[in-house]
Amino acid sequence: MKHPPKPSPAGQPEPAQAALFDDLPPDAPAGGATVLAIPVPAAQQNKAQRLFNKLIGQIQQQRGLLAQWQQFDLRFQQRLIAEFHPAQVQLTAARRKLLQLLDQLLADPRAEPRLSKPQRRKLRAWIAPLATSLLDEGPDADVEAI
């Protein structure tokens, strides 16, 4: 990110400093530096060079695995949105309808089926958590009224 030049004490802007990694090829990693294996035949490498090359190979393998996981995560998120979201919307609608039905049963004492006092008490106990969970998903005037 380039910043505007700062004025010098004399009032004239100082020249902008060149970025350190502007001369890198476009396919270079984000860190700016690329670590390469030591290009000496394995028979001529000392123990440290062989270990270094082995570790560089492991890093490249792990980068490949990371790229695969990132691609999987993207596909998973897309599938989650495509498949799960519609089901979640249907579930929320069904829960709202259930809440309205329970409220209607409690509001009208002559409604069929007739409820006993323990049944009404149990319904009241169910309504509060159901309404709270629906309100946790977002504001809803109908649910707030209940």
Side-chain angles (χ1 to χ4, degrees):
M1 177 165 75
K2 295 184 179 183
H3 298 284
K6 296 179 184 176
S8 66
Q12 297 186 1
E14 295 179 7
Q17 179 179 355
L20 296 175
F21 302 109
D22 282 345
D23 59 341
L24 290 176
D27 61 342
T34 303
V35 179
L36 301 175
I38 299 171
V40 176
Q44 296 176 359
Q45 293 177 358
N46 65 27
K47 185 177 180 178
Q49 290 171 327
R50 285 191 302 273
L51 177 62
F52 180 79
N53 285 341
K54 178 182 173 188
L55 293 174
I56 293 298
Q58 289 175 354
I59 289 171
Q60 290 172 343
Q61 287 176 340
Q62 293 301 314
R63 283 184 178 157
L65 286 173
L66 176 61
Q68 288 176 350
W69 274 110
Q70 288 170 337
Q71 290 174 354
F72 171 78
D73 184 50
L74 177 64
R75 287 192 317 267
F76 177 76
Q77 293 298 328
Q78 291 169 345
R79 186 174 174 194
L80 183 70
I81 289 169
E83 295 177 13
F84 179 71
H85 184 69
Q88 187 176 19
V89 169
Q90 289 176 343
L91 177 63
T92 300
R95 290 172 54 219
R96 286 184 81 237
K97 187 172 182 175
L98 174 65
L99 181 66
Q100 291 168 348
L101 289 172
L102 294 178
D103 185 53
Q104 288 173 1
L105 278 173
L106 287 176
D108 186 7
R110 292 173 280 157
E112 290 294 327
R114 293 200 102 22
L115 301 174
S116 65
K117 284 186 179 183
Q119 289 171 329
R120 286 192 303 267
R121 192 176 22 232
K122 189 174 278 190
L123 284 182
R124 283 189 203 99
W126 287 348
I127 285 177
L130 181 58
T132 302
S133 69
L134 285 169
L135 289 173
D136 287 344
E137 294 178 13
D140 187 331
D142 294 336
V143 174
E144 288 176 8
I146 292 174

